[in-house]
């Protein structure tokens, strides 16, 4: 499958890099506090295992989703079943999230028990072809086992952050004393806190870089699966604009979404500041084409590129541009199944 091996390599490299950084981090902590390294390794493994076990329940709880009864939404059920069979995947469980923003995500421990959840807003604001494109994208995540990898890998930056907060507070509240021993304990807490924050930022950048790459692979897979890259292009533009209007703060499950609400707000806010410039027909409204052109221009700014480093998703226009290239190749007749990921 074309460059699927590159995704596996990127995944392996990211896991190794984050694990290596974390191993050095644990070693430093053990040296400072003079604990056995084996206890730190066991503790980290237990934390990741617990995160893997309770992760799906936390996502379900935080999003307030409701599982669909059989026959409740025949079109959605048939569409997911058709595309899942075409993908060679087991039928995922279907759920609806009572949220008017247009979004969707998958989660679970394995491909066999995966859940595909769609927001009510997605079903209302997108047409059927666009929804098919979104479903294809989410099935791509299941195909690539993205939700499993990201659940496990994101546990390490989270653990570093928790250690940083805990040791910083311990250092602040440690009693001040002139005694050398107590003074060194206070300094040790602050040293671990600073190291933990650095590890948190570096490991988070690695995890987010992998997350953005996986979104491109899922987009490309959707284009191949549905045979309609244009449908997902249109869906992404609508999703980004719709998410930018939400007054609610982003959910903790935003890594799993097809669109990141925080990223959408940044993208659209910068466009709305220059609305008159991007409103080419001067009708007071940015249509889909004008919105895409605005996203293209804004994505080139230095500030937008820096913001992307700390984002779970690529800028919308970069995703649209990839889909356009795939669409052009499909229209030329040169596209084959072994070139699914060739444009990434």
């Amino acid at each position: 499958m074309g460059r699927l091996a590159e995704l596996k390599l990127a995944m392996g490299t990211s896991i190794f890099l984050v694990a290596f950084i974390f191993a050095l981090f644990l070693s430093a902590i053990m040296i400072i506090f003079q604990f056995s390294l084996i206890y730190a390794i066991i503790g980290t493994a237990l934390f990741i295992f617990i995160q893997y076990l309770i992760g799906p329940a936390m996502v379900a709880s935080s999003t307030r989703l409701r599982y669909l009864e059989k026959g409740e939404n025949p079109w959605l059920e048939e569409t997911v079943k058709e595309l899942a069979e075409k993908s060679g995947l087991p039928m995922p469980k279907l759920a609806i999230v009572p949220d008017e923003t247009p979004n969707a995500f998958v989660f679970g421990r394995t491909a066999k028990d995966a859940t595909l959840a769609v927001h009510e807003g997605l079903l209302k604001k997108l047409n059927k072809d666009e929804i098919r494109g979104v479903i294809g994208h989410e099935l791509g995540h299941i195909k690539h086992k993205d939700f499993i990898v990201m659940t496990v890998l994101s546990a390490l930056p989270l653990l570093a952050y928790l250690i940083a907060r805990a040791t910083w507070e311990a250092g602040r509240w440690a009693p001040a004393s002139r005694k050398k021993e107590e003074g060194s304990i206070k300094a040790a807490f602050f040293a671990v806190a600073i190291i933990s924050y650095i590890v948190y930022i570096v490991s988070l950048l690695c995890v987010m870089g992998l997350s953005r790459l996986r979104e491109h692979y899922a987009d490309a897979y959707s284009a191949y699966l549905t045979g309609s890259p244009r449908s997902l292009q249109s869906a992404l533009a609508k999703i980004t604009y719709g998410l930018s209007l939400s007054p609610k703060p982003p959910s903790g499950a935003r890594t799993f979404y097809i669109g990141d609400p925080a990223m959408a707000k940044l993208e659209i806010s910068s466009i709305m500041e220059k609305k008159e410039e991007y409103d080419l027909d001067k009708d007071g409204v940015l249509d889909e084409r004008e919105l895409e052109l605005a996203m293209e221009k804004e994505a080139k700014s230095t500030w937008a590129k820096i913001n992307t480093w700390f984002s779970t998703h690529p800028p919308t226009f970069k995703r649209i541009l990839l889909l356009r290239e795939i669409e052009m190749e499909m229209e030329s007749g040169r596209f084959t199944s072994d070139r699914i990921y060739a444009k990434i």
Side-chain angles (χ1 to χ4, degrees):
M1 273 193 171
R3 295 171 58 186
L4 185 58
E6 293 186 20
L7 175 60
K8 293 178 180 178
L9 177 62
M11 178 181 69
T13 302
S14 296
I15 291 173
F16 172 78
L17 187 58
V18 173
F20 180 71
I21 292 169
F22 214 79
L24 293 178
F25 167 57
L26 292 178
S27 300
I29 291 179
M30 294 309 101
I31 291 171
I32 292 172
F33 286 122
Q34 298 181 351
F35 291 158
S36 173
L37 183 60
I38 189 66
Y39 294 123
I41 294 173
I42 292 172
T44 301
L46 281 174
F47 184 84
I48 294 172
F49 182 65
I50 292 170
Q51 174 90 344
Y52 173 72
L53 286 181
I54 69 173
M58 291 176 65
V59 172
S61 175
S62 66
T63 57
R64 299 179 294 112
L65 59 80
R66 173 182 62 83
Y67 283 95
L68 281 181
E69 299 288 340
K70 190 172 182 180
E72 185 177 343
N73 190 325
W75 179 83
L76 182 62
E77 292 172 39
E78 286 301 315
T79 301
V80 174
K81 182 180 179 182
E82 172 209 337
L83 294 176
E85 287 178 351
K86 188 175 178 181
S87 298
L89 293 169
M91 176 74 175
K93 290 175 283 188
L94 297 179
I96 298 292
V97 178
D99 192 314
E100 290 302 310
T101 59
N103 226 327
F105 57 95
V106 291
F107 66 94
R109 296 188 189 93
T110 66
K112 290 183 180 180
D113 79 339
T115 293
L116 194 164
V118 294
H119 284 205
E120 289 178 351
L122 186 89
L123 298 176
K124 292 177 182 178
K125 296 172 182 176
L126 273 63
N127 63 42
K128 288 185 176 180
D129 286 338
E130 291 165 343
I131 295 171
R132 277 178 63 88
V134 171
I135 292 170
H137 172 96
E138 297 305 330
L139 291 176
H141 281 310
I142 297 177
K143 188 78 173 179
H144 304 148
K145 299 180 174 59
D146 292 341
F147 57 98
I148 302 171
V149 173
M150 296 309 298
T151 297
V152 173
L153 200 59
S154 61
L156 295 177
L158 175 60
L159 182 55
Y161 177 76
L162 294 175
I163 292 172
R165 288 296 301 270
T167 51
W168 184 262
E169 290 301 318
R172 283 182 59 200
W173 292 103
S177 172
R178 293 181 179 179
K179 292 181 181 180
K180 184 176 180 181
E181 184 178 340
E182 290 184 8
S184 63
I185 291 174
K186 192 178 182 76
F189 277 127
F190 281 129
V192 170
I194 293 169
I195 293 170
S196 300
Y197 274 118
I198 294 171
V199 170
Y200 164 67
I201 292 171
V202 174
S203 58
L204 185 65
L205 288 173
C206 293
V207 172
M208 287 189 164
L210 179 62
S211 178
R212 292 192 298 273
L213 179 64
R214 299 183 87 84
E215 290 301 321
H216 282 308
Y217 273 85
D219 287 343
Y221 187 80
S222 174
Y224 158 76
L225 185 63
T226 64
S228 178
R230 182 67 221 175
S231 295
L232 186 55
Q233 290 177 50
S234 176
L236 289 173
K238 287 184 179 180
I239 287 170
T240 301
Y241 185 72
L243 292 177
S244 73
L245 301 177
S246 174
K248 297 189 302 182
S251 162
R254 60 192 253 210
T255 305
F256 295 92
Y257 290 146
I258 185 172
D260 177 11
M263 184 73 176
K265 287 181 184 295
L266 283 173
E267 287 188 86
I268 299 301
S269 64
S270 60
I271 290 172
M272 288 303 160
E273 289 174 1
K274 307 173 186 175
K275 184 178 177 181
E276 291 186 4
E277 176 185 340
Y278 296 130
D279 185 13
L280 302 179
D281 55 12
K282 305 303 178 184
D283 64 351
V285 178
L286 294 181
D287 59 29
E288 183 183 319
R289 178 58 180 162
E290 290 168 340
L291 194 58
E292 288 184 12
L293 290 172
M295 287 177 181
E296 178 180 10
K297 190 169 182 179
E298 289 298 317
K300 295 176 182 177
S301 74
T302 303
W303 181 244
K305 291 176 182 177
I306 293 173
N307 278 334
T308 301
W309 297 347
F310 294 91
S311 174
T312 57
H313 292 60
T316 303
F317 184 76
K318 286 191 175 181
R319 299 173 70 178
I320 290 174
L321 185 60
L322 169 67
L323 291 164
R324 282 184 188 170
E325 291 178 1
I326 294 173
E327 183 180 27
M328 290 173 62
E329 189 171 44
M330 282 183 170
E331 290 174 349
S332 71
R334 296 193 303 271
F335 184 82
T336 55
S337 61
D338 62 340
R339 290 185 56 79
I340 300 173
Y341 310 108
K343 296 295 182 180
I344 298 173

